[in-house]
Amino acid sequence: MKTILITGASSGIGKATALRFQSEGWNVVATMRDPSAGADLGTLDNVLVTRLDVTDAGSIAPAVADGITRFGRIDALLNNAGYGAYGPLEAFSTERIRRQFDTNVIGLLEVTKAVLPHMRANRSGTIVNISSIGGQITFPLGTLYHGTKFAVEGLSEALHYELEPLGIRVRIVEPGMIKTDFGGRSFDFAMDETLADYAPTAAAMGRLFGKLAANPSAPEVVAEVIWQAVNAPKDRLRFRAGQDAHTLLDDRKAKDDVTFIGGIKDLMGS
Ligand SMILES: NC(=O)c1ccc[n+]([C@@H]2O[C@H](COP(=O)([O-])OP(=O)(O)OC[C@H]3O[C@@H](n4cnc5c(N)ncnc54)[C@H](OP(=O)(O)O)[C@@H]3O)[C@@H](O)[C@H]2O)c1
């Protein structure tokens, strides 16, 4: 029986993936900041709910050790925990900027580092990093979020060179707009009344998101893509999730910067 460790399994994509792998007969180490949020997952067979805050280095090794003690090994890691900091750069304190990168980038690296010695000893394992369409294209007032997701794309692609010879695979999953709490508690919007210069861009961002998020996919769509990514043939790096992800990223590939960004600006209009 195989085992996956998931970060941010309390809701959304992480939870849907925990349920998907459990239903396929995998063991699941469902990690989250507050394990009481995983009470329902914890009642399922072969699911271990344990605490892991990706920004709390001291919580990472014990969660990985718990998983290995309970299930014997970890075959796959899903780096899913993350949130979106949006707003004008000037509206963010240094602490808030750091929290975005600590969660979406440094936390992902630290969890990966904690699992690697085990996977390296096994000469086997798959690491799936949740990026976003926002790891390939950008939206206004997303300097911080897109900075983190572009980082996830680059670090994942680079990491795959050093892990592939050791039997460890890296996968990048790029969801489009997904119906989760990402736009709610996982959306850290910063604005400040002294920064009225940015108000028109904030309004344009609202119009753009209204259009792009009109038809979000279910988190189960991403869970299915993650399932495929973990079980895919050896040499594929990127996996999109959701029809909008295919449409937008195909369009991005087909166009030069000015043309593609012009299209985004058109969508920002009223
Ligand atoms: N929804 C979308 O449209 C969309 C699109 C592309 C990519 N994504 C990516 O998908 C991933 C999951 O988001 P979601 O859409 O499923 O939203 P979600 O339902 O709000 O889930 C976010 C998860 O991340 C967890 N998290 C946040 N900070 C954490 C930390 N420091 N340590 C551990 N866990 C932490 C949250 O835990 P708590 O319960 O403790 O808050 C929650 O479990 C994120 O990386 C996001 O960037 C989402």
Side-chain angles (χ1 to χ4, degrees):
M1 225 166 141
K2 292 189 170 179
T3 302
I4 185 169
L5 186 145
I6 300 173
T7 64
S10 63
S11 70
I13 293 167
K15 184 174 186 179
T17 307
L19 291 169
R20 176 64 197 268
F21 276 71
Q22 192 271 347
S23 74
E24 297 283 353
W26 280 53
N27 302 312
V28 177
V29 187
T31 76
M32 57 195 74
R33 289 193 282 200
D34 173 9
S36 70
D40 52 342
L41 278 178
T43 63
L44 300 174
D45 287 342
N46 307 318
V47 176
L48 170 67
V49 175
T50 190
R51 182 177 175 271
L52 193 164
D53 177 337
V54 300
T55 63
D56 173 4
S59 74
I60 298 174
V64 171
D66 269 6
I68 295 170
T69 303
R70 169 80 184 267
F71 298 124
R73 60 185 272 152
I74 292 172
D75 299 281
L77 164 64
L78 175 63
N79 281 310
N80 164 74
Y83 72 95
Y86 267 85
L89 176 60
E90 288 188 70
F92 282 93
S93 64
T94 304
E95 189 199 350
R96 226 159 146 187
I97 292 171
R98 285 196 193 283
R99 193 166 76 86
Q100 173 74 132
F101 280 82
D102 280 348
T103 305
N104 292 11
V105 181
I106 311 290
L108 176 151
L109 292 172
E110 291 295 339
V111 176
T112 302
K113 271 179 69 186
V115 170
L116 276 179
H118 176 75
M119 288 185 171
R120 200 156 42 80
N122 292 340
R123 286 293 188 270
S124 155
T126 303
I127 296 165
V128 179
N129 291 335
I130 297 296
S131 174
S132 168
I133 50 171
Q136 298 271 356
I137 64 178
T138 64
F139 303 130
L141 304 191
T143 303
L144 299 180
Y145 183 65
H146 295 293
T148 67
K149 291 300 186 182
F150 271 59
V152 168
E153 294 268 340
L155 69 87
S156 302
E157 186 175 309
L159 186 63
H160 109 276
Y161 292 112
E162 72 197 50
L163 298 183
E164 192 176 73
L166 306 176
I168 303 166
R169 306 173 316 169
V170 178
R171 306 287 194 232
I172 302 167
V173 170
E174 297 160 332
M177 297 292 178
I178 311 299
K179 202 172 177 177
T180 67
D181 210 19
F182 188 74
R185 80 178 192 290
S186 297
F187 197 70
D188 178 25
F189 187 75
M191 199 36 163
D192 176 331
E193 62 273 18
T194 67
L195 297 174
D197 284 347
Y198 297 107
T201 309
M205 184 198 92
R207 285 193 293 273
L208 175 70
F209 277 25
K211 289 171 192 164
L212 292 178
N215 203 4
S217 305
E220 289 74 20
V221 169
V222 189
E224 168 62 23
V225 172
I226 293 165
W227 173 254
Q228 288 167 11
V230 168
N231 294 290
K234 208 169 151 197
D235 57 355
R236 186 163 159 206
L237 188 60
R238 290 187 167 82
F239 297 74
R240 299 166 180 173
Q243 187 49 51
D244 57 342
H246 287 281
T247 306
L248 279 163
L249 296 183
D250 281 346
D251 197 37
R252 181 66 189 96
K253 269 194 189 299
K255 290 177 177 161
D256 60 52
D257 285 358
V258 171
T259 310
F260 181 80
I261 290 168
I264 295 288
K265 287 177 178 166
D266 287 345
L267 284 173
M268 288 162 65
S270 47

